[in-house]
Amino acid sequence: MPLSKEEIAKRIAKEIKDGYYVNLGIGIPTLVANYIPKNINVVLQSENGLLGMGPFPFEGEEDADLINAGKQTITTLPGSSIFDSAMSFGMIRAQKVDLTILGAMEVSENGDIANWKIPGKMVKGMGGAMDLVASAKNIIVAMQHVNKAGESKLLSKCTLPLTGVKCIKKIVTEIAVLAVLPEGGFQLLERAPGVSIEFIQQSTAGKLIVEGEIPEMNFD
């Protein structure tokens, strides 16, 4: 069965290593904070000016003054630091962030990403997405494999305005984990439990590379 948004976040949390500084984008990526293993030390960065972001607060324990870049209430951990957005983007542009986890509307087979604007629809602005994809050492996309019409969002070429070019390394969707190869193409690494390779092929408009046995995702 396809993964829930929470299960996508839980699978992505396995990509986080001890000592990482990690930026979580709006949407599914914010859920990753709830699934970081207890035995590793990770510092979460929010581009509106916070190092040391914790999991979401329980209902009734929210502090309206503590929000992430998506304006959701959050918690802070012991030793956290709050500062202005200029310093925050200084960290991002100086490549101090080890891993960025972003949502996307489209990703192309050569690693281009479109995640900020749909023509004709009002948007508040680019936000920090362009700085993040231009500066991060490693970028993982958390996204739905297909749109509401059932059309693939993993394409040979993006049709929406680009956020970044040739910058995406890995994608986790509700049906698959894929790597974007340097020479182009989506390499299938894992599949969601019960999801067939044929179904993933049908759901992927871009070049899909399948080699050997493809294991099901493991969440342990």
Side-chain angles (χ1 to χ4, degrees):
M1 294 292 292
L3 304 183
S4 65
K5 292 180 180 180
E6 289 76 17
E7 288 172 323
I8 293 174
K10 189 174 183 180
R11 172 59 187 83
I12 289 178
K14 293 184 62 179
E15 301 291 325
I16 299 176
K17 307 301 182 186
D18 189 58
Y20 269 15
Y21 284 78
V22 181
N23 182 283
L24 301 179
I26 296 170
I28 297 174
T30 59
L31 300 173
V32 174
N34 294 330
Y35 299 104
I36 295 173
K38 303 294 184 184
N39 61 335
I40 66 173
N41 180 33
V42 172
V43 179
L44 298 181
Q45 193 248 17
S46 184
E47 67 240 41
N48 56 321
L50 171 65
L51 273 179
M53 182 167 57
F56 287 119
F58 292 108
E59 187 174 352
E61 298 181 2
E62 302 93 341
D63 182 343
D65 290 328
L66 291 176
I67 60 172
N68 61 20
K71 300 180 177 61
Q72 298 166 305
T73 53
I74 55 171
T75 62
T76 55
L77 300 177
S80 64
S81 179
I82 295 173
F83 36 83
D84 64 24
S85 59
M87 180 173 288
S88 182
F89 278 93
M91 295 175 185
I92 293 168
R93 293 166 184 166
Q95 298 186 318
K96 302 298 184 183
V97 176
D98 297 294
L99 173 64
T100 291
I101 303 169
L102 293 172
M105 299 167 188
E106 294 177 347
V107 176
S108 77
E109 63 189 39
N110 67 346
D112 297 347
I113 178 174
N115 80 337
W116 76 280
K117 182 177 177 63
I118 297 176
K121 292 193 176 183
M122 183 179 293
V123 293
K124 296 178 181 179
M126 170 82 60
M130 187 170 284
D131 290 271
L132 286 163
V133 299
S135 306
K137 299 174 184 176
N138 188 16
I139 304 170
I140 297 176
V141 167
M143 66 184 293
Q144 299 294 321
H145 210 100
V146 298
N147 61 24
K148 293 180 180 179
E151 300 165 334
S152 179
K153 296 165 68 174
L154 277 66
L155 309 172
S156 57
K157 184 177 181 180
C158 292
T159 63
L160 297 173
L162 294 182
T163 309
V165 175
K166 295 184 179 179
C167 56
I168 305 305
K169 301 290 193 301
K170 187 173 284 188
I171 304 162
V172 180
T173 77
E174 75 276 19
I175 59 174
V177 178
L178 310 106
V180 179
L181 299 179
E183 64 272 21
F186 301 109
Q187 182 177 17
L188 182 59
L189 302 178
E190 301 173 22
R191 53 193 174 87
V195 173
S196 68
I197 293 174
E198 291 74 22
F199 183 77
I200 297 169
Q201 289 172 324
Q202 293 168 6
S203 303
T204 307
K207 180 182 178 182
L208 183 68
I209 299 165
V210 181
E211 297 178 343
E213 293 292 324
I214 307 299
E216 291 189 348
M217 295 183 203
N218 183 352
F219 298 95
D220 297 329

mmCIF file of all heavy atoms in Angstrom, residues 165-207:
data_model
loop_
_atom_site.group_PDB
_atom_site.id
_atom_site.type_symbol
_atom_site.label_atom_id
_atom_site.label_comp_id
_atom_site.label_asym_id
_atom_site.label_seq_id
_atom_site.Cartn_x
_atom_site.Cartn_y
_atom_site.Cartn_z
ATOM 1 N N VAL A 165 18.468 23.760 -10.374
ATOM 2 C CA VAL A 165 18.852 22.922 -11.522
ATOM 3 C C VAL A 165 19.890 21.897 -11.093
ATOM 4 O O VAL A 165 20.868 22.220 -10.412
ATOM 5 C CB VAL A 165 19.418 23.797 -12.663
ATOM 6 C CG1 VAL A 165 19.932 22.934 -13.808
ATOM 7 C CG2 VAL A 165 18.362 24.778 -13.156
ATOM 8 N N LYS A 166 19.650 20.637 -11.447
ATOM 9 C CA LYS A 166 20.593 19.541 -11.191
ATOM 10 C C LYS A 166 21.088 19.532 -9.747
ATOM 11 O O LYS A 166 22.282 19.461 -9.481
ATOM 12 C CB LYS A 166 21.779 19.628 -12.156
ATOM 13 C CG LYS A 166 21.404 19.408 -13.611
ATOM 14 C CD LYS A 166 22.622 19.415 -14.518
ATOM 15 C CE LYS A 166 22.221 19.158 -15.968
ATOM 16 N NZ LYS A 166 23.394 19.172 -16.882
ATOM 17 N N CYS A 167 20.141 19.558 -8.806
ATOM 18 C CA CYS A 167 20.525 19.665 -7.399
ATOM 19 C C CYS A 167 19.960 18.559 -6.517
ATOM 20 O O CYS A 167 20.423 18.388 -5.386
ATOM 21 C CB CYS A 167 20.103 21.030 -6.853
ATOM 22 S SG CYS A 167 18.341 21.395 -7.033
ATOM 23 N N ILE A 168 18.985 17.801 -6.997
ATOM 24 C CA ILE A 168 18.334 16.793 -6.164
ATOM 25 C C ILE A 168 19.107 15.473 -6.226
ATOM 26 O O ILE A 168 19.477 15.009 -7.302
ATOM 27 C CB ILE A 168 16.873 16.571 -6.604
ATOM 28 C CG1 ILE A 168 16.113 17.900 -6.603
ATOM 29 C CG2 ILE A 168 16.192 15.547 -5.704
ATOM 30 C CD1 ILE A 168 16.166 18.646 -5.291
ATOM 31 N N LYS A 169 19.323 14.885 -5.050
ATOM 32 C CA LYS A 169 20.072 13.630 -4.975
ATOM 33 C C LYS A 169 19.162 12.416 -4.756
ATOM 34 O O LYS A 169 19.431 11.334 -5.253
ATOM 35 C CB LYS A 169 21.076 13.698 -3.821
ATOM 36 C CG LYS A 169 22.091 14.830 -3.915
ATOM 37 C CD LYS A 169 23.089 14.600 -5.023
ATOM 38 C CE LYS A 169 24.279 15.539 -4.930
ATOM 39 N NZ LYS A 169 23.935 16.965 -4.993
ATOM 40 N N LYS A 170 18.102 12.598 -3.970
ATOM 41 C CA LYS A 170 17.240 11.460 -3.612
ATOM 42 C C LYS A 170 15.815 11.938 -3.439
ATOM 43 O O LYS A 170 15.570 13.082 -3.055
ATOM 44 C CB LYS A 170 17.753 10.789 -2.337
ATOM 45 C CG LYS A 170 17.038 9.501 -1.960
ATOM 46 C CD LYS A 170 17.708 8.811 -0.773
ATOM 47 C CE LYS A 170 18.982 8.115 -1.183
ATOM 48 N NZ LYS A 170 19.547 7.285 -0.084
ATOM 49 N N ILE A 171 14.865 11.045 -3.719
ATOM 50 C CA ILE A 171 13.440 11.350 -3.614
ATOM 51 C C ILE A 171 12.756 10.214 -2.856
ATOM 52 O O ILE A 171 13.020 9.039 -3.131
ATOM 53 C CB ILE A 171 12.791 11.476 -5.010
ATOM 54 C CG1 ILE A 171 13.527 12.521 -5.859
ATOM 55 C CG2 ILE A 171 11.316 11.836 -4.890
ATOM 56 C CD1 ILE A 171 13.248 12.401 -7.346
ATOM 57 N N VAL A 172 11.890 10.578 -1.929
ATOM 58 C CA VAL A 172 11.061 9.591 -1.236
ATOM 59 C C VAL A 172 9.604 9.973 -1.472
ATOM 60 O O VAL A 172 9.185 11.091 -1.155
ATOM 61 C CB VAL A 172 11.351 9.532 0.272
ATOM 62 C CG1 VAL A 172 10.468 8.487 0.937
ATOM 63 C CG2 VAL A 172 12.822 9.205 0.532
ATOM 64 N N THR A 173 8.856 9.058 -2.072
ATOM 65 C CA THR A 173 7.435 9.286 -2.350
ATOM 66 C C THR A 173 6.603 8.244 -1.593
ATOM 67 O O THR A 173 7.146 7.423 -0.847
ATOM 68 C CB THR A 173 7.130 9.183 -3.853
ATOM 69 O OG1 THR A 173 7.106 7.798 -4.246
ATOM 70 C CG2 THR A 173 8.154 9.934 -4.681
ATOM 71 N N GLU A 174 5.292 8.269 -1.830
ATOM 72 C CA GLU A 174 4.409 7.315 -1.160
ATOM 73 C C GLU A 174 4.572 5.892 -1.698
ATOM 74 O O GLU A 174 4.067 4.933 -1.094
ATOM 75 C CB GLU A 174 2.945 7.753 -1.281
ATOM 76 C CG GLU A 174 2.301 7.538 -2.630
ATOM 77 C CD GLU A 174 2.569 8.647 -3.632
ATOM 78 O OE1 GLU A 174 3.532 9.407 -3.439
ATOM 79 O OE2 GLU A 174 1.803 8.744 -4.609
ATOM 80 N N ILE A 175 5.314 5.729 -2.812
ATOM 81 C CA ILE A 175 5.468 4.386 -3.372
ATOM 82 C C ILE A 175 6.922 3.962 -3.577
ATOM 83 O O ILE A 175 7.180 2.774 -3.820
ATOM 84 C CB ILE A 175 4.714 4.228 -4.712
ATOM 85 C CG1 ILE A 175 5.219 5.231 -5.757
ATOM 86 C CG2 ILE A 175 3.214 4.364 -4.496
ATOM 87 C CD1 ILE A 175 4.600 5.026 -7.143
ATOM 88 N N ALA A 176 7.887 4.882 -3.457
ATOM 89 C CA ALA A 176 9.258 4.500 -3.803
ATOM 90 C C ALA A 176 10.304 5.425 -3.192
ATOM 91 O O ALA A 176 10.021 6.572 -2.843
ATOM 92 C CB ALA A 176 9.419 4.496 -5.326
ATOM 93 N N VAL A 177 11.520 4.881 -3.098
ATOM 94 C CA VAL A 177 12.722 5.677 -2.829
ATOM 95 C C VAL A 177 13.566 5.622 -4.092
ATOM 96 O O VAL A 177 13.831 4.532 -4.621
ATOM 97 C CB VAL A 177 13.528 5.129 -1.637
ATOM 98 C CG1 VAL A 177 14.793 5.963 -1.423
ATOM 99 C CG2 VAL A 177 12.693 5.099 -0.369
ATOM 100 N N LEU A 178 13.969 6.791 -4.583
ATOM 101 C CA LEU A 178 14.713 6.849 -5.842
ATOM 102 C C LEU A 178 15.923 7.762 -5.693
ATOM 103 O O LEU A 178 15.875 8.762 -4.969
ATOM 104 C CB LEU A 178 13.823 7.380 -6.974
ATOM 105 C CG LEU A 178 12.467 6.703 -7.134
ATOM 106 C CD1 LEU A 178 11.366 7.631 -6.631
ATOM 107 C CD2 LEU A 178 12.210 6.296 -8.573
ATOM 108 N N ALA A 179 16.995 7.411 -6.382
ATOM 109 C CA ALA A 179 18.168 8.275 -6.479
ATOM 110 C C ALA A 179 18.181 8.917 -7.856
ATOM 111 O O ALA A 179 17.797 8.290 -8.853
ATOM 112 C CB ALA A 179 19.445 7.473 -6.272
ATOM 113 N N VAL A 180 18.597 10.179 -7.917
ATOM 114 C CA VAL A 180 18.772 10.852 -9.201
ATOM 115 C C VAL A 180 20.230 10.663 -9.607
ATOM 116 O O VAL A 180 21.144 11.124 -8.916
ATOM 117 C CB VAL A 180 18.426 12.351 -9.109
ATOM 118 C CG1 VAL A 180 18.644 13.020 -10.465
ATOM 119 C CG2 VAL A 180 16.982 12.533 -8.653
ATOM 120 N N LEU A 181 20.465 9.978 -10.709
ATOM 121 C CA LEU A 181 21.827 9.662 -11.137
ATOM 122 C C LEU A 181 22.498 10.873 -11.772
ATOM 123 O O LEU A 181 21.835 11.696 -12.417
ATOM 124 C CB LEU A 181 21.802 8.508 -12.132
ATOM 125 C CG LEU A 181 21.226 7.180 -11.606
ATOM 126 C CD1 LEU A 181 21.253 6.127 -12.714
ATOM 127 C CD2 LEU A 181 22.010 6.706 -10.398
ATOM 128 N N PRO A 182 23.825 10.996 -11.617
ATOM 129 C CA PRO A 182 24.548 12.131 -12.218
ATOM 130 C C PRO A 182 24.354 12.233 -13.722
ATOM 131 O O PRO A 182 24.302 13.331 -14.277
ATOM 132 C CB PRO A 182 26.011 11.833 -11.866
ATOM 133 C CG PRO A 182 25.955 10.971 -10.660
ATOM 134 C CD PRO A 182 24.713 10.133 -10.819
ATOM 135 N N GLU A 183 24.223 11.088 -14.388
ATOM 136 C CA GLU A 183 24.035 11.096 -15.844
ATOM 137 C C GLU A 183 22.567 11.224 -16.239
ATOM 138 O O GLU A 183 22.244 11.263 -17.429
ATOM 139 C CB GLU A 183 24.633 9.821 -16.455
ATOM 140 C CG GLU A 183 23.965 8.539 -16.026
ATOM 141 C CD GLU A 183 24.539 7.925 -14.748
ATOM 142 O OE1 GLU A 183 25.170 8.656 -13.963
ATOM 143 O OE2 GLU A 183 24.342 6.722 -14.550
ATOM 144 N N GLY A 184 21.681 11.308 -15.244
ATOM 145 C CA GLY A 184 20.260 11.467 -15.509
ATOM 146 C C GLY A 184 19.495 10.173 -15.328
ATOM 147 O O GLY A 184 20.009 9.085 -15.599
ATOM 148 N N GLY A 185 18.293 10.286 -14.841
ATOM 149 C CA GLY A 185 17.442 9.119 -14.636
ATOM 150 C C GLY A 185 17.165 8.885 -13.160
ATOM 151 O O GLY A 185 17.976 9.230 -12.296
ATOM 152 N N PHE A 186 15.988 8.309 -12.892
ATOM 153 C CA PHE A 186 15.588 7.954 -11.533
ATOM 154 C C PHE A 186 15.929 6.481 -11.308
ATOM 155 O O PHE A 186 15.352 5.598 -11.946
ATOM 156 C CB PHE A 186 14.081 8.151 -11.330
ATOM 157 C CG PHE A 186 13.599 9.557 -11.576
ATOM 158 C CD1 PHE A 186 12.832 9.851 -12.702
ATOM 159 C CD2 PHE A 186 13.898 10.583 -10.691
ATOM 160 C CE1 PHE A 186 12.361 11.134 -12.919
ATOM 161 C CE2 PHE A 186 13.440 11.869 -10.911
ATOM 162 C CZ PHE A 186 12.676 12.154 -12.026
ATOM 163 N N GLN A 187 16.854 6.203 -10.409
ATOM 164 C CA GLN A 187 17.186 4.817 -10.090
ATOM 165 C C GLN A 187 16.322 4.358 -8.918
ATOM 166 O O GLN A 187 16.338 4.952 -7.845
ATOM 167 C CB GLN A 187 18.657 4.659 -9.733
ATOM 168 C CG GLN A 187 19.027 3.198 -9.443
ATOM 169 C CD GLN A 187 20.503 3.016 -9.158
ATOM 170 O OE1 GLN A 187 21.206 3.969 -8.859
ATOM 171 N NE2 GLN A 187 20.971 1.790 -9.262
ATOM 172 N N LEU A 188 15.560 3.293 -9.131
ATOM 173 C CA LEU A 188 14.681 2.773 -8.096
ATOM 174 C C LEU A 188 15.501 2.027 -7.053
ATOM 175 O O LEU A 188 16.188 1.051 -7.370
ATOM 176 C CB LEU A 188 13.629 1.840 -8.722
ATOM 177 C CG LEU A 188 12.593 1.254 -7.775
ATOM 178 C CD1 LEU A 188 11.796 2.345 -7.076
ATOM 179 C CD2 LEU A 188 11.652 0.316 -8.536
ATOM 180 N N LEU A 189 15.435 2.497 -5.804
ATOM 181 C CA LEU A 189 16.199 1.894 -4.710
ATOM 182 C C LEU A 189 15.336 1.012 -3.813
ATOM 183 O O LEU A 189 15.765 -0.062 -3.382
ATOM 184 C CB LEU A 189 16.853 2.981 -3.851
ATOM 185 C CG LEU A 189 17.792 3.952 -4.555
ATOM 186 C CD1 LEU A 189 18.316 4.982 -3.561
ATOM 187 C CD2 LEU A 189 18.939 3.213 -5.224
ATOM 188 N N GLU A 190 14.123 1.484 -3.509
ATOM 189 C CA GLU A 190 13.219 0.753 -2.629
ATOM 190 C C GLU A 190 11.788 1.008 -3.091
ATOM 191 O O GLU A 190 11.508 1.999 -3.763
ATOM 192 C CB GLU A 190 13.364 1.223 -1.168
ATOM 193 C CG GLU A 190 14.751 1.070 -0.582
ATOM 194 C CD GLU A 190 14.855 1.717 0.801
ATOM 195 O OE1 GLU A 190 13.817 1.902 1.472
ATOM 196 O OE2 GLU A 190 15.985 2.051 1.215
ATOM 197 N N ARG A 191 10.905 0.115 -2.705
ATOM 198 C CA ARG A 191 9.494 0.294 -3.013
ATOM 199 C C ARG A 191 8.688 0.174 -1.726
ATOM 200 O O ARG A 191 9.109 -0.483 -0.769
ATOM 201 C CB ARG A 191 9.023 -0.726 -4.055
ATOM 202 C CG ARG A 191 9.329 -2.163 -3.703
ATOM 203 C CD ARG A 191 9.145 -3.103 -4.883
ATOM 204 N NE ARG A 191 9.575 -4.455 -4.539
ATOM 205 C CZ ARG A 191 8.794 -5.371 -3.969
ATOM 206 N NH1 ARG A 191 7.523 -5.077 -3.699
ATOM 207 N NH2 ARG A 191 9.246 -6.567 -3.678
ATOM 208 N N ALA A 192 7.552 0.834 -1.697
ATOM 209 C CA ALA A 192 6.681 0.758 -0.528
ATOM 210 C C ALA A 192 6.159 -0.664 -0.378
ATOM 211 O O ALA A 192 5.990 -1.377 -1.372
ATOM 212 C CB ALA A 192 5.522 1.742 -0.667
ATOM 213 N N PRO A 193 5.912 -1.103 0.856
ATOM 214 C CA PRO A 193 5.415 -2.465 1.062
ATOM 215 C C PRO A 193 4.164 -2.760 0.233
ATOM 216 O O PRO A 193 3.192 -2.006 0.262
ATOM 217 C CB PRO A 193 5.107 -2.488 2.566
ATOM 218 C CG PRO A 193 6.053 -1.487 3.151
ATOM 219 C CD PRO A 193 6.143 -0.399 2.127
ATOM 220 N N GLY A 194 4.218 -3.831 -0.541
ATOM 221 C CA GLY A 194 3.075 -4.243 -1.344
ATOM 222 C C GLY A 194 2.939 -3.555 -2.679
ATOM 223 O O GLY A 194 2.054 -3.898 -3.465
ATOM 224 N N VAL A 195 3.811 -2.596 -2.972
ATOM 225 C CA VAL A 195 3.741 -1.871 -4.251
ATOM 226 C C VAL A 195 4.667 -2.553 -5.261
ATOM 227 O O VAL A 195 5.837 -2.810 -4.980
ATOM 228 C CB VAL A 195 4.141 -0.390 -4.069
ATOM 229 C CG1 VAL A 195 4.229 0.317 -5.422
ATOM 230 C CG2 VAL A 195 3.146 0.317 -3.164
ATOM 231 N N SER A 196 4.155 -2.821 -6.443
ATOM 232 C CA SER A 196 4.930 -3.536 -7.457
ATOM 233 C C SER A 196 5.822 -2.588 -8.248
ATOM 234 O O SER A 196 5.558 -1.383 -8.340
ATOM 235 C CB SER A 196 3.990 -4.263 -8.425
ATOM 236 O OG SER A 196 3.268 -3.331 -9.210
ATOM 237 N N ILE A 197 6.852 -3.157 -8.832
ATOM 238 C CA ILE A 197 7.736 -2.380 -9.693
ATOM 239 C C ILE A 197 6.955 -1.864 -10.906
ATOM 240 O O ILE A 197 7.149 -0.727 -11.357
ATOM 241 C CB ILE A 197 8.936 -3.228 -10.139
ATOM 242 C CG1 ILE A 197 9.836 -3.548 -8.940
ATOM 243 C CG2 ILE A 197 9.738 -2.519 -11.234
ATOM 244 C CD1 ILE A 197 10.963 -4.504 -9.237
ATOM 245 N N GLU A 198 6.051 -2.668 -11.410
ATOM 246 C CA GLU A 198 5.250 -2.277 -12.571
ATOM 247 C C GLU A 198 4.408 -1.034 -12.268
ATOM 248 O O GLU A 198 4.296 -0.131 -13.112
ATOM 249 C CB GLU A 198 4.333 -3.427 -12.996
ATOM 250 C CG GLU A 198 5.048 -4.627 -13.602
ATOM 251 C CD GLU A 198 5.796 -5.462 -12.571
ATOM 252 O OE1 GLU A 198 5.457 -5.389 -11.366
ATOM 253 O OE2 GLU A 198 6.737 -6.178 -12.966
ATOM 254 N N PHE A 199 3.858 -0.993 -11.072
ATOM 255 C CA PHE A 199 3.052 0.175 -10.690
ATOM 256 C C PHE A 199 3.914 1.430 -10.608
ATOM 257 O O PHE A 199 3.499 2.514 -11.042
ATOM 258 C CB PHE A 199 2.364 -0.075 -9.344
ATOM 259 C CG PHE A 199 1.458 1.044 -8.906
ATOM 260 C CD1 PHE A 199 0.207 1.212 -9.469
ATOM 261 C CD2 PHE A 199 1.877 1.961 -7.935
ATOM 262 C CE1 PHE A 199 -0.632 2.260 -9.072
ATOM 263 C CE2 PHE A 199 1.060 2.999 -7.531
ATOM 264 C CZ PHE A 199 -0.199 3.150 -8.104
ATOM 265 N N ILE A 200 5.131 1.293 -10.080
ATOM 266 C CA ILE A 200 6.048 2.435 -10.001
ATOM 267 C C ILE A 200 6.438 2.891 -11.406
ATOM 268 O O ILE A 200 6.506 4.093 -11.685
ATOM 269 C CB ILE A 200 7.294 2.068 -9.165
ATOM 270 C CG1 ILE A 200 6.879 1.750 -7.724
ATOM 271 C CG2 ILE A 200 8.322 3.209 -9.192
ATOM 272 C CD1 ILE A 200 7.968 1.141 -6.882
ATOM 273 N N GLN A 201 6.668 1.941 -12.301
ATOM 274 C CA GLN A 201 6.992 2.288 -13.683
ATOM 275 C C GLN A 201 5.851 3.061 -14.339
ATOM 276 O O GLN A 201 6.075 4.058 -15.040
ATOM 277 C CB GLN A 201 7.307 1.018 -14.476
ATOM 278 C CG GLN A 201 8.630 0.370 -14.094
ATOM 279 C CD GLN A 201 8.843 -0.982 -14.745
ATOM 280 O OE1 GLN A 201 7.887 -1.754 -14.916
ATOM 281 N NE2 GLN A 201 10.080 -1.294 -15.097
ATOM 282 N N GLN A 202 4.626 2.627 -14.107
ATOM 283 C CA GLN A 202 3.461 3.297 -14.680
ATOM 284 C C GLN A 202 3.277 4.705 -14.109
ATOM 285 O O GLN A 202 2.717 5.580 -14.771
ATOM 286 C CB GLN A 202 2.204 2.469 -14.411
ATOM 287 C CG GLN A 202 2.173 1.138 -15.141
ATOM 288 C CD GLN A 202 1.074 0.220 -14.626
ATOM 289 O OE1 GLN A 202 0.256 0.622 -13.794
ATOM 290 N NE2 GLN A 202 1.057 -1.018 -15.107
ATOM 291 N N SER A 203 3.770 4.919 -12.892
ATOM 292 C CA SER A 203 3.576 6.193 -12.199
ATOM 293 C C SER A 203 4.721 7.176 -12.419
ATOM 294 O O SER A 203 4.685 8.292 -11.891
ATOM 295 C CB SER A 203 3.409 5.936 -10.694
ATOM 296 O OG SER A 203 2.340 5.054 -10.432
ATOM 297 N N THR A 204 5.729 6.778 -13.186
ATOM 298 C CA THR A 204 6.925 7.599 -13.383
ATOM 299 C C THR A 204 7.041 7.976 -14.857
ATOM 300 O O THR A 204 7.254 7.115 -15.716
ATOM 301 C CB THR A 204 8.186 6.844 -12.933
ATOM 302 O OG1 THR A 204 8.000 6.366 -11.599
ATOM 303 C CG2 THR A 204 9.408 7.755 -12.983
ATOM 304 N N ALA A 205 6.917 9.268 -15.142
ATOM 305 C CA ALA A 205 6.989 9.727 -16.538
ATOM 306 C C ALA A 205 8.427 9.857 -17.017
ATOM 307 O O ALA A 205 8.712 9.687 -18.208
ATOM 308 C CB ALA A 205 6.265 11.066 -16.679
ATOM 309 N N GLY A 206 9.352 10.181 -16.113
ATOM 310 C CA GLY A 206 10.754 10.285 -16.478
ATOM 311 C C GLY A 206 11.407 8.920 -16.616
ATOM 312 O O GLY A 206 10.778 7.875 -16.397
ATOM 313 N N LYS A 207 12.678 8.926 -16.970
ATOM 314 C CA LYS A 207 13.429 7.683 -17.158
ATOM 315 C C LYS A 207 13.613 6.971 -15.825
ATOM 316 O O LYS A 207 14.234 7.505 -14.911
ATOM 317 C CB LYS A 207 14.785 7.998 -17.794
ATOM 318 C CG LYS A 207 15.653 6.773 -18.042
ATOM 319 C CD LYS A 207 16.996 7.190 -18.626
ATOM 320 C CE LYS A 207 17.908 5.995 -18.842
ATOM 321 N NZ LYS A 207 19.244 6.417 -19.366
#
